[in-house]
């Protein structure tokens, strides 16, 4: 049995005395897994991703990555930790006056890549998400699915070992939703661990795999679903 890559042990996230996002939460993900996190708004899906990225911290219990307690990370070490991750937001967050190649180059420079690395990497990253042919387009000239592909591309600038996608299909129609999940599956097949938080039941039914269902900050089912 594979060792846990990501481990939640008796985790609690309490915002106030009466508002708790996760309760005595235990959860593990093996390296290279693809996991759907499903549940209604407020079930704890996004909180799980934010704990892994250290955007939030547990009020009790431990969240660890390869045995490292993320709660014990010094603030100065959080940026280094995040470079292991690729984060795909629901909101595309693209800069309206920059072309697609500029969006990626800007993000690469922001994390300290050299001009040479940017020149070499931008085309490769855009091609990895099948959007290289639109490199000179502005966001307003792209479909929602194409914009989300660029958002995924931006998450790949550090060749991440873990991809966290929070409602990546929330603004897309069924066709483009399937397109984005298929892209994430391809990245998983290349070795990345992928966690997708979604309430899109259609997508989950179409792709199957490990599906963790949450309700009120607890896991109510953790199963492998077959397609069809």
């Amino acid at each position: 049995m594979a060792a846990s890559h990501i481990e939640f042990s008796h985790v609690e996230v309490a915002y106030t005395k009466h508002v708790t996002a996760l309760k005595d939460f235990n959860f593990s993900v093996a390296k290279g897994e693809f996991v759907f996190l499903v549940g209604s708004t407020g079930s704890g899906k996004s909180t799980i991703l934010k704990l892994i990225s250290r955007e939030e911290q547990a009020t009790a219990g431990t969240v660890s990555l390869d045995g490292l307690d993320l709660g014990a990370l010094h603030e100065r070490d959080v940026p280094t930790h995040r470079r292991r991750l690729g984060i795909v937001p629901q909101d595309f967050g693209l800069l309206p006056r920059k072309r697609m190649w500029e969006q990626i180059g800007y993000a690469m420079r922001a994390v300290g890549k050299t001009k040479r690395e940017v020149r070499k990497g931008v085309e490769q990253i855009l091609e990895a998400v099948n959007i290289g042919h639109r490199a000179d387009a502005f966001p307003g000239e792209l479909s929602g699915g194409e914009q989300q592909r660029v958002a995924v591309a931006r998450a790949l600038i550090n060749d991440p070992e873990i991809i966290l996608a929070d409602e990546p299909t929330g603004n897309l129609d069924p066709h483009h939703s399937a397109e984005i999940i298929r892209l994430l599956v391809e990245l998983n097949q290349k070795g990345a661990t992928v966690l997708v938080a979604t309430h899109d039941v259609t997508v989950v039914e179409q792709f199957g795999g490990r599906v963790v269902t949450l309700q009120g900050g607890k896991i109510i089912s953790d199963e492998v679903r077959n397609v069809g």
Side-chain angles (χ1 to χ4, degrees), residues 112-168:
K113 301 289 186 182
T114 65
K115 288 183 179 180
R116 183 178 180 181
E117 288 174 320
V118 171
R119 283 195 300 271
K120 184 178 179 181
V122 167
E123 182 179 357
Q124 183 179 353
I125 289 170
L126 288 173
E127 289 296 338
V129 298
N130 303 316
I131 200 72
H133 62 292
R134 303 304 309 273
D136 285 324
F138 290 101
E141 298 171 335
L142 301 180
S143 69
E146 289 173 326
Q147 290 187 56
Q148 188 61 294
R149 280 183 175 271
V150 177
V152 174
R154 200 170 47 195
L156 301 181
I157 60 175
N158 285 315
D159 191 21
E161 58 189 276
I162 300 169
I163 296 173
L164 308 175
D166 194 358
E167 299 287 0

Side-chain angles (χ1 to χ4, degrees), residues 132-211:
H133 62 292
R134 303 304 309 273
D136 285 324
F138 290 101
E141 298 171 335
L142 301 180
S143 69
E146 289 173 326
Q147 290 187 56
Q148 188 61 294
R149 280 183 175 271
V150 177
V152 174
R154 200 170 47 195
L156 301 181
I157 60 175
N158 285 315
D159 191 21
E161 58 189 276
I162 300 169
I163 296 173
L164 308 175
D166 194 358
E167 299 287 0
T169 65
N171 296 318
L172 303 178
D173 61 35
H175 172 74
H176 287 118
S177 294
E179 189 178 87
I180 293 302
I181 298 300
R182 194 171 295 113
L183 172 59
L184 293 171
V185 169
E186 289 172 4
L187 294 170
N188 171 249
Q189 290 171 343
K190 292 176 181 177
T193 303
V194 179
L195 284 82
V196 178
T198 184
H199 63 268
D200 191 339
V201 176
T202 303
V203 161
V204 175
E205 290 176 346
Q206 183 175 350
F207 287 88
R210 184 180 176 192
V211 180

Side-chain angles (χ1 to χ4, degrees), residues 14-31:
Y15 297 118
T16 69
K17 184 177 180 180
H18 302 292
V19 180
T20 303
L22 297 177
K23 305 169 185 175
D24 194 25
F25 189 80
N26 297 287
F27 172 61
S28 63
V29 179
K31 193 174 184 68

Side-chain angles (χ1 to χ4, degrees), residues 18 35 40 46 48-49 51 57-58 64 67 84 93 103 108 129 159 163 169 178 185-186 189 221 227:
H18 302 292
V35 183
S40 59
S46 295
I48 292 169
L49 303 187
L51 287 166
Q57 286 187 257
S64 60
R84 300 178 66 181
Q103 306 272 350
M108 292 179 75
V129 298
D159 191 21
I163 296 173
T169 65
V185 169
E186 289 172 4
Q189 290 171 343
S221 73
V227 178

